Amino acid sequence: MDILKKKFFDKSSQLRTELKALRKEHGQKVVDDVNIAQIIGGMRGIKSMLWETSVLDANEGIRFRGYTIPELKEILPKRAPDGKEPLPEGLFWLMLVDEIPTQEEVNWLSDEWEKRADIPSSVFKMLDSLPEDTHPMSMFIMGINALQYDSIFAKKYAEGMSKADYWDATYEDSMNLLARLPRLAAYIYRKVYHDGKQIEPDNSLDWAGNFAHMLGIGSEDFKSLMRLYLTIHADHEGGNASAHTAHLINSTLADVYLSYGGAMSSLAGPLHGLANQEVIKWIVEMTEELGTTKPTNDQVKDYINETLKSGKVIPGYGHAVLRQPDPRFTAQRLFAEEYIPDNDFVKIVWQLFEVVPPILGALGKVKNPWPNVDAHSGAILVHYGLTQYTFYTVLFGVSRALGVMAASCWSRALGLPLERPKSVNSLWIKEQINNS
Ligand code: HAX
C-alpha cells in the first residue's frame, strides 16, 4: 500500500468508527430549521451533507482543513526556481489526510501522478471526431466519460467487490483520473486552438507546471500562476453545484469518472464555472464598445447599467454563500499586483472592484455585491497568452477535481449512503402556511 493510501486508510477508519457511534448516540439531535424561502430558493444554506475537505464561511471565505488561502500560500510545499506559489499536490494531500505534507511527500505525489498519466489513443480519437465548434467543456466531459471504461471501481464492483473495499478502488480511480486530467485538458486546448499540434509532457515537472508546459505556455511565471490557480479553485465545501453533483452521483456508487464528469456538467453553467469565460468576454466587449482599454469610471458605470437594464447579471459578482470579497479573488489580485500590475485588463478588473459593488448594492436585492473567484482570472490568463476564453472553465474543472476526488474517497471510506432528500409540492407548502 502506498504511503498516502496507508495514511488515508488509518484516518478514515478512525473517523468511520467515531461517526457510527456519534450517529447512534446523537442521531436525533436537531441542528437546523428550514424555512419556506429556502425550499423555494434553491435549498440555500440548508445544512444537509457531510463534506470533510473544506468549510466555507460567509465572511471569511474558504478554509481547507482549517487553513485559509493566505495560510496555505505560506505553508504548503513549493517548487524552485520561483518557489512562491503552493503546489496543488500539497493541497490534495492536505484534503485527503488532513496533514500538511513534507516536500518529499509532495514530490512523491508528483511522481506518482506522472506514472499514472497515460491516456489511451481511443480517447484522443474520439475527441478528434467531434465537430470543430464543440465547446471545450463538452469535449472535456466526453473525454472524462470516455476514460470510464478503465474504472477500477466499476470493474471490481461487477466482480462482486465487498463494501469494505469501496474506498480502495475509489482511491485508485481518483489517483488515475487526477493524473490524466492535465493531459486531457491540454490535448483539447492544443486541438481546438493550435491546429492539433500537441506538446509531449515534461515528466521532470510537477502536476501544474507540466500542465502549463503542455498548454504551450512554458514561462516560469505562467507555471507559478497555474500552481496558484489550480490550488485556489480546488474546493469550496460540498454544497456548490459541481461538488454537490459529484457527491450525489457518487452516492449511487457510480465511480469517480461518472461522478466527476457530472460535476463538470454543473460547472459548465454560466451561474457557476462558466462565469470565468463570461467575465472576460464582457470586459473585452466593453473595451470594444467604448473604443478604449482605459475607460473612465463613468464609462464603466454606464456599461454596467446597460448590462443590468438588458436583464443580464454582472458576471464575476455575487455569491450564494459569501458576503465579502472572495479570498480567491484577492489571491489572484495579489498575484497580478506582483507580476503584472501594469496590464490594462487587470487594471479594469480592479476598477470594476471599485465601481460594481455600489451599483449592485443600490439594487437592494443582491445579497453579495462583491467579486467572486471568476472576476479576476481571465485578465491574468489573457496576459500570458491564454486568450481563448472558451477554455477557461476547463482550467477551473481540472482544479475542482482535487476537491471532488478527495471528498469522494472520504464518502466511500465513511460508507456514506445514497443521497435522497425529500421534495415537496406547492400544495404542501400552502398547507404548512394554513396550518400554522
Ligand atoms: N448581477 C446582477 N444581479 C445579480 C447579481 C449580479 N452579479 N448577483 C445576484 N443578482 C440578482 C439575482 O439575479 C437575483 O435577482 P432576481 O431576484 O431578480 O432573480 C437577486 O440578485 C438575488 O440573488 P442573490 O440571492 O444575491 O444571489 P443567488 O444566491 O441567487 O445567486 C449567483 C448567486 C452567483 C448565481 C449570482 O450572484 C449571479 O448570478 N452572479 C453572476 C454570475 C457569477 O458570477 N457566477 C459565478 C459564481 C461563483 C462561482 O460559482 N464560480 O464558479
Side-chain angles (χ1 to χ4, degrees):
M1 199 183 282
D2 73 50
I3 47 169
L4 182 57
K5 193 169 171 180
K6 173 81 177 73
K7 271 183 195 285
F8 176 61
F9 176 68
D10 292 345
K11 297 233 169 181
S12 58
S13 306
Q14 195 186 333
L15 185 60
R16 185 179 177 136
T17 310
E18 276 173 38
L19 282 182
K20 211 171 165 188
L22 193 146
R23 185 175 174 179
K24 199 169 166 205
E25 200 178 336
H26 304 287
Q28 301 312 311
K29 185 176 166 56
V30 175
V31 289
D32 204 7
D33 293 326
V34 177
N35 62 39
I36 288 171
Q38 285 175 297
I39 297 172
I40 299 174
M43 300 198 283
R44 274 309 170 285
I46 299 177
K47 295 182 185 68
S48 55
M49 70 192 282
L50 192 66
W51 189 267
E52 288 297 294
T53 48
S54 67
V55 174
L56 181 61
D57 178 82
N59 294 307
E60 191 193 47
I62 191 70
R63 276 184 186 264
F64 300 88
R65 293 284 188 184
Y67 296 100
T68 62
I69 288 174
E71 286 165 354
L72 288 181
K73 268 195 76 163
E74 286 299 313
I75 57 176
L76 282 181
K78 303 175 181 65
R79 186 185 163 102
D82 181 312
K84 284 186 200 152
E85 304 304 338
L87 291 171
E89 287 92 325
L91 180 65
F92 180 70
W93 188 287
L94 173 65
M95 287 191 290
L96 194 68
V97 297
D98 196 10
E99 279 176 25
I100 299 290
T102 62
Q103 191 73 49
E104 290 68 38
E105 286 170 333
V106 156
N107 293 347
W108 171 85
L109 190 52
S110 296
D111 290 347
E112 188 63 26
W113 283 350
E114 176 212 312
K115 284 185 216 149
R116 294 171 182 247
D118 277 350
I119 292 184
S121 59
S122 60
V123 175
F124 296 138
K125 276 189 201 139
M126 181 277 296
L127 292 172
D128 290 343
S129 73
L130 294 172
E132 272 180 19
D133 55 358
T134 308
H135 192 281
M137 264 312 262
S138 301
M139 290 191 185
F140 190 51
I141 293 160
M142 284 187 256
I144 295 157
N145 282 305
L147 284 166
Q148 190 271 343
Y149 82 94
D150 206 21
S151 166
I152 293 167
F153 188 98
K155 274 196 199 88
K156 291 205 167 167
Y157 192 87
E159 289 162 11
M161 168 171 55
S162 157
K163 278 181 179 183
D165 296 329
Y166 289 172
W167 72 273
D168 191 323
T170 302
Y171 173 88
E172 292 300 332
D173 275 349
S174 298
M175 292 285 276
N176 288 339
L177 184 48
L178 280 164
R180 291 163 154 181
L181 288 176
R183 179 84 173 111
L184 176 65
Y187 187 90
I188 292 167
Y189 178 72
R190 301 293 304 178
K191 169 188 151 46
V192 176
Y193 308 109
H194 291 277
D195 299 326
K197 290 186 189 116
Q198 300 296 331
I199 298 173
E200 286 306 306
D202 176 349
N203 292 335
S204 68
L205 287 167
D206 53 293
W207 192 68
N210 194 24
F211 186 28
H213 160 79
M214 289 187 287
L215 290 172
I217 310 173
S219 72
E220 286 308 317
D221 286 0
F222 186 71
K223 286 185 192 130
S224 293
L225 173 66
M226 281 297 101
R227 289 171 191 133
L228 176 70
Y229 184 104
L230 297 181
T231 297
I232 63 176
H233 287 76
D235 205 32
H236 218 221
E237 74 170 32
N240 71 79
S242 52
H244 188 190
T245 305
H247 186 76
L248 170 62
I249 299 176
N250 198 236
S251 83
T252 70
L253 298 186
D255 57 69
V256 293
Y257 292 88
L258 296 169
S259 58
Y260 169 69
M264 292 303 97
S265 294
S266 279
L267 194 72
L271 296 187
H272 192 15
L274 202 82
N276 62 5
Q277 81 163 47
E278 295 301 297
V279 169
I280 197 69
K281 181 168 172 266
W282 181 75
I283 291 177
V284 169
E285 284 168 2
M286 173 172 76
T287 59
E288 283 168 1
E289 190 176 308
L290 300 177
T292 175
T293 55
K294 297 180 195 302
T296 63
N297 279 1
D298 282 343
Q299 284 177 307
V300 171
K301 274 181 202 163
D302 288 346
Y303 189 75
I304 293 165
N305 285 324
E306 213 179 278
T307 303
L308 292 171
K309 260 190 225 134
S310 62
K312 293 186 267 185
V313 293
I314 306 301
Y317 279 76
H319 200 272
V321 178
L322 286 169
R323 296 295 176 257
Q324 292 289 330
D326 191 332
R328 300 170 300 174
F329 172 88
T330 310
Q332 294 174 81
R333 180 177 179 139
L334 291 172
F335 182 96
E337 280 171 2
E338 183 175 348
Y339 289 82
I340 47 170
D342 299 324
N343 178 284
D344 278 355
F345 283 115
V346 162
K347 284 186 182 161
I348 291 177
V349 167
W350 299 347
Q351 190 178 11
L352 289 167
F353 183 39
E354 278 175 41
V355 176
V356 173
I359 296 178
L360 288 185
L363 293 179
K365 64 173 184 178
V366 180
K367 295 193 191 67
N368 177 46
W370 299 108
N372 59 55
V373 64
D374 298 315
H376 211 314
S377 49
I380 309 179
L381 293 167
V382 166
H383 173 88
Y384 288 105
L386 215 164
T387 54
Q388 304 88 351
Y389 55 74
T390 50
F391 186 71
Y392 290 178
T393 312
V394 177
L395 287 181
F396 191 155
V398 172
S399 173
R400 184 50 53 98
L402 297 162
V404 159
M405 303 290 169
S408 300
C409 290
W410 275 95
S411 297
R412 297 288 66 80
L414 297 177
L416 298 187
L418 180 74
E419 188 175 285
R420 181 51 166 100
K422 176 85 184 90
S423 66
V424 295
N425 58 18
S426 55
L427 188 65
W428 183 87
I429 291 179
K430 286 175 194 160
E431 281 168 5
Q432 304 310 303
I433 297 166
N434 292 336
N435 293 343
S436 63

